[in-house]
């Protein structure tokens, strides 16, 4: 049936499906053969029935025919059960393969792609869309194969029994086929929109649950609820539309078979009356028409089901088209002998997207190995962006960034990131235990190393106080910790890696004065063996730095020590005078 071609299902989606199915092709073939055998045992039944009627007509014993019929029925049931189990298992394996491939890919997504995507929608693609591949594999691929073959076999048998009646049947089926050609693409479109709406719902849900406290505090539950319900209703509407067209397709097929049945009965009856055919032939042919129903329903079901599946495949494919980092093996963490790293920016120009203004307009600075360098400047100056570029979350549009004199683009990505310890501005903590969070960047760290970073990050007292110690669960995004505790966990995590380059983005902004002073000493200590870059908001941190890079509006205004800059740079002098507190960003 040419209806497998749909305007919205491009060939690559089919190739994607075949890619997921290929590893299981033998299991699928075995399942298909078992299904076929089931069909064949059913197909033999009319022949036995004809013999039974013959036997009756000629006063012969019917026990042989009855025995054959019972045998066929039992074989039919047993082979059918085995076949459907094998097929379902294979379908689950196809879903598993798709989920594995998609989750691996999503973890490698470039940060630019993540910036542009809704995590909830991507989640829906992994959970909901892949599930739809199950039906595509069993019902569509196998249904089309076995149903199609059974259909052909039945038609051949019909031709052998009575070619004239076959012609009548085929005419009816062809008429129904052209009606289906109009209906089927509509199922595809509706399915795609239904799945898109599920994605929208996932995104809205993630947005709301991710900030439920803020939503509650803003009294915005009802508005968020409305958005969620709208997405759910849109999915309902589109699914109902798809169901309507699927039902129409199924009923068209069913109706066609009824018409074929009546027509065959009328034409066949006339042929029996004229003596062109005998009554046994007519009964056998009518049984074949009856048996045609199941493969035809199967093929039509396969085609309609494929529309839903190909809509899901297209969504999976869209996710697989997002830019991703090349697959790479994890790199070992630096060994103590590797020494600190030197970093330099050479006239770096960068913007987050082609349609956004430049954030860096030619940033240049050089940081030698070892020592502490502070980045200061008003909010939005581009300080965090400097760190994102060093981690290669983004690539500069022009200019060069070097680590140890080597262009970042020449570094193997895992190796580059293994050299760096990064504490992000909002000090993210992942759901799980404190220990999970500390070991995230260095799973092999021993207890002694963990105890050491707990002390240096001043977390040891907290851990001692907690009944479960390091096994305490921190909640989603670390909500069970205070802001300052989260920051110290993030710092401890970064230190545990013994990085060659430590990036601290306002990492102590939420600490009390005592803890802040202690951590300042820790960082100063670390800076003796490691290169430390800090985005600083407190004068105390800045004055301790070996050099200060003053940034403003995507440019480096000045570089120097505190003493030099207070005298030479008015912006810095002003920031220093207000203790950076007002201008922190
Ligand atoms: P700072 O850390 O100095 O306060 P940032 O480097 O975070 O500044 O941001 C510099 C500018 O880039 C800001 O104007 C900000 O709005 C923009 N920006 C930051 N992150 C993104 C992003 N992921 N996508 C688009 N624009 C961004
Ligand atoms: Mg920032």
């Amino acid at each position: 049936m040419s209806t497998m071609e749909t305007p919205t299902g491009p060939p690559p989606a089919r190739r994607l499906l075949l890619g997921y199915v290929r590893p299981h092709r033998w299991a699928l073939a075995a399942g298909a053969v078992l299904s076929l055998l089931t069909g064949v045992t059913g197909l033999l039944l009319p022949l036995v029935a004809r013999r039974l009627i013959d036997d009756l007509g000629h006063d012969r014993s019917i026990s042989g025919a009855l025995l054959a019929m019972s045998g066929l029925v039992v074989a039919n049931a047993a082979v059918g059960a085995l076949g459907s189990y094998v097929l379902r298992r294979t379908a689950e394996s196809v879903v598993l393969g798709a989920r594995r491939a998609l989750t691996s890919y999503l973890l490698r997504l470039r940060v630019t792609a993540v910036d542009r995507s809704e995590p909830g929608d991507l989640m829906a693609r992994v959970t909901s869309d892949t599930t739809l591949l199950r039906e595509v594999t069993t019902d569509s691929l196998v249904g089309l194969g076995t149903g199609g073959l059974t259909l052909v076999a039945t038609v051949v048998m019909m031709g052998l029994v009575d070619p004239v009646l076959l012609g009548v049947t085929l005419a009816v089926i062809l008429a129904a086929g052209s009606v289906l050609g109009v209906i089927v693409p509509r199922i595809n479109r509706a399915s795609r929109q239904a799945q898109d709406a599920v994605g929208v719902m996932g995104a809205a849900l993630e947005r709301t649950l991710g900030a439920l406290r803020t939503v509650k505090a803003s009294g915005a539950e009802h508005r968020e609820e409305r958005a969620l319900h709208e997405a759910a209703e849109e999915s309902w509407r589109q699914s109902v539309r798809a169901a309507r067209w699927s039902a129409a397709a199924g009923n068209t097929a069913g109706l066609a078979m009824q018409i074929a049945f009546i027509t065959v009965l009328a034409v066949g009856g006339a042929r029996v009356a004229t003596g062109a055919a005998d009554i046994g032939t007519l009964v056998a042919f009518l049984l074949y028409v009856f048996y045609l129903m199941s493969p035809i329903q199967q093929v039509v079901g396969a085609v309609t089901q494929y529309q839903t599946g190909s809509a899901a495949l297209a969504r999976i494919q869209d996710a697989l088209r997002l830019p991703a980092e090349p697959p790479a093996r994890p790199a070992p963490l630096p060994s103590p002998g590797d020494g600190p790293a030197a970093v330099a920016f050479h006239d770096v120009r960068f913007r987050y997207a082609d349609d956004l203004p430049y954030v860096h307009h030619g940033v240049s600075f050089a940081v030698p190995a070892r020592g502490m360098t502070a980045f200061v400047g008003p909010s939005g100056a581009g300080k965090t962006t400097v760190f994102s570029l060093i981690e290669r979350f983004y690539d500069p549009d022009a200019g060069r960034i070097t680590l140890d004199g080597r262009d970042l683009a020449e570094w193997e990505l895992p190796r580059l990131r293994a050299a760096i310890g990064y504490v992000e501005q909002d000090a993210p903590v992942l759901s799980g235990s404190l220990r999970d969070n500390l070991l995230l960047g260095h799973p092999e760290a021993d207890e002694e190393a963990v105890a050491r970073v707990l002390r240096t990050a001043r977390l040891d007292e907290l851990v001692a106080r907690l009944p479960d110690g390091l096994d305490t669960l921190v909640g989603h995004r670390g909500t069970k910790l205070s802001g300052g505790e989260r920051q110290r966990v993030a710092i401890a995590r970064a230190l545990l890696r013994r990085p060659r380059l430590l990036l601290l983005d306002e990492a102590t902004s939420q600490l009390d004065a005592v803890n802040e002073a202690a951590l300042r000493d820790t960082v100063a200590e670390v800076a003796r063996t490691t290169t430390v870059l800090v985005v600083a908001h407190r004068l105390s941190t800045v004055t301790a730095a070996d050099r200060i890079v003053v940034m403003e509006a995507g440019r480096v205004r000045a570089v120097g020590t505190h003493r030099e800059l207070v005298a030479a740079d008015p912006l810095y002098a002003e920031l220093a005078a207000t203790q950076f507190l007002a201008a922190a960003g």
Side-chain angles (χ1 to χ4, degrees):
M1 233 176 257
S2 67
T3 43
M4 288 293 279
E5 307 282 349
T6 60
T8 46
R14 202 171 320 157
R15 220 175 302 140
L16 185 68
L17 177 63
L18 291 182
Y20 291 141
V21 169
R22 196 166 298 125
H24 312 288
R25 57 187 183 279
W26 295 119
L28 198 64
V33 166
L34 288 171
S35 301
L36 264 181
L37 278 179
T38 318
V40 168
T41 51
L43 213 56
L44 292 175
L45 224 46
L47 292 183
V48 183
R50 176 153 77 166
R51 211 186 91 199
L52 190 128
I53 293 175
D54 255 15
D55 287 349
L56 279 175
H58 294 83
D59 271 345
R60 282 194 298 258
S61 154
I62 56 164
S63 54
L66 273 181
L67 207 65
M69 280 177 104
S70 321
L72 281 175
V73 169
V74 171
N76 186 286
V79 177
L82 184 62
S84 74
Y85 166 72
V86 170
L87 285 181
R88 262 155 212 262
R89 191 175 189 284
T90 311
E92 293 296 346
S93 306
V94 169
V95 172
L96 172 67
R99 286 191 178 149
R100 275 201 181 136
L102 194 53
T103 45
S104 303
Y105 193 84
L106 290 183
L107 285 177
R108 289 195 292 107
L109 280 188
R110 299 228 53 181
V111 176
T112 30
V114 180
D115 284 349
R116 276 187 269 122
S117 315
E118 289 283 359
D121 180 51
L122 292 177
M123 259 148 58
R125 288 170 205 243
V126 177
T127 53
S128 155
D129 286 299
T130 51
T131 311
L132 294 179
L133 297 187
R134 187 190 299 153
E135 278 73 38
V136 176
T137 312
T138 44
D139 299 4
S140 277
L141 288 186
V142 176
L144 200 69
T146 60
L149 273 177
T150 318
L151 192 72
V152 170
T154 314
V155 165
V156 168
M157 299 296 265
M158 289 169 116
L160 291 178
V161 173
D162 192 326
V164 178
L165 291 180
L166 174 65
V168 173
T169 315
L170 285 186
V172 177
I173 291 176
L174 282 182
S178 43
V179 176
L180 288 178
V182 179
I183 293 177
V184 160
R186 293 167 199 271
I187 303 174
N188 184 293
R189 275 197 293 278
S191 300
R192 170 72 203 233
Q193 282 160 3
Q195 283 305 106
D196 281 345
V198 171
V200 170
M201 189 170 65
L205 201 57
E206 196 262 350
R207 162 194 144 98
T208 308
L209 292 181
L212 195 57
R213 290 153 169 251
T214 306
V215 169
K216 281 184 186 297
S218 311
E221 293 100 324
H222 289 302
R223 271 164 287 151
E224 295 298 313
E225 184 184 26
R226 204 175 320 131
L228 280 168
H229 286 192
E230 257 163 34
E233 282 154 17
E234 172 66 7
S235 176
W236 175 84
R237 230 183 336 271
Q238 297 300 343
S239 298
V240 167
R241 200 151 73 92
R244 194 158 56 228
W245 289 117
S246 293
N251 270 15
T252 307
L255 184 67
M257 292 322 295
Q258 306 293 344
I259 293 173
F261 199 83
I262 294 168
T263 322
V264 166
L265 195 61
V267 177
R271 277 167 67 74
V272 171
T274 60
D278 57 46
I279 183 82
T281 303
L282 179 59
V283 170
F285 198 92
L286 281 174
L287 274 176
Y288 275 127
V289 174
F290 188 68
Y291 277 116
L292 208 52
M293 285 203 191
S294 141
I296 283 207
Q297 293 288 10
Q298 218 177 347
V299 168
V300 171
V303 172
T304 51
Q305 189 64 253
Y306 181 80
Q307 303 312 311
T308 312
S310 79
L313 275 166
R315 277 171 51 78
I316 292 171
Q317 185 136 44
D318 285 348
L320 292 175
R321 282 207 191 98
L322 293 172
E325 290 163 355
R329 272 196 310 272
L333 290 176
S335 55
D338 285 344
V343 187
F345 272 50
H346 305 276
D347 204 19
V348 168
R349 286 173 61 79
F350 171 72
R351 55 183 165 179
Y352 279 97
D354 293 341
D355 51 351
L356 290 176
Y358 276 94
V359 172
H360 281 178
H361 310 262
V363 171
S364 300
F365 62 83
V367 174
R370 240 182 288 275
M372 192 193 339
T373 305
F375 288 79
V376 302
S379 178
K383 306 180 294 292
T384 299
T385 306
V386 166
F387 287 4
S388 303
L389 288 172
I390 294 175
E391 281 272 8
R392 270 200 81 193
F393 293 150
Y394 308 92
D395 287 323
D397 294 298
R400 264 163 32 93
I401 305 172
T402 58
L403 193 84
D404 293 341
R406 247 174 90 203
D407 202 308
L408 289 191
E410 290 166 20
W411 280 79
E412 213 184 305
L413 210 45
R415 197 164 276 280
L416 171 75
R417 290 186 184 151
I420 305 172
Y422 182 20
V423 179
E424 286 181 78
Q425 187 162 356
D426 44 6
V429 169
L430 280 70
S431 165
S433 68
L434 274 175
R435 188 191 306 277
D436 295 339
N437 268 286
L438 293 178
L439 296 183
L440 187 70
H442 187 8
E444 293 90 27
D446 53 33
E447 285 298 319
E448 198 193 321
V450 171
R452 197 167 47 235
V453 293
L454 284 178
R455 272 195 305 278
T456 43
R458 311 223 2 137
L459 276 171
D460 45 347
E461 278 171 33
L462 171 76
V463 171
R465 220 173 345 106
L466 293 168
D468 291 334
L470 275 177
D471 295 316
T472 306
L473 299 178
V474 297
H476 180 61
R477 291 189 190 153
T479 39
K480 294 186 190 167
L481 300 175
S482 77
E485 286 163 355
R486 267 202 300 278
Q487 286 187 327
R488 280 178 283 159
V489 169
I491 292 171
R493 176 167 60 210
L495 287 177
L496 193 60
R497 281 159 72 93
R498 298 179 157 282
R500 302 179 53 216
L501 172 66
L502 183 61
L503 308 177
L504 302 174
D505 196 347
E506 309 195 10
T508 56
S509 59
Q510 298 189 41
L511 297 190
D512 55 85
V514 177
N515 275 322
E516 204 266 338
L519 273 174
R520 195 191 323 137
D521 292 345
T522 299
V523 171
E525 175 76 29
V526 170
R528 265 191 259 155
T529 54
T530 302
T531 313
V532 181
L533 309 189
V534 294
V535 172
H537 65 292
R538 291 197 197 192
L539 188 59
S540 49
T541 312
V542 177
T543 48
D546 297 303
R547 79 194 59 73
I548 299 158
V549 178
V550 186
M551 291 192 70
E552 188 191 16
R555 287 190 173 81
V556 174
R557 264 179 76 97
V559 181
T561 60
H562 175 67
R563 194 186 296 270
E564 292 163 3
L565 289 172
V566 168
D569 191 66
L571 174 69
Y572 183 82
E574 189 196 322
L575 287 173
T578 54
Q579 288 241 323
F580 296 102
L581 285 177

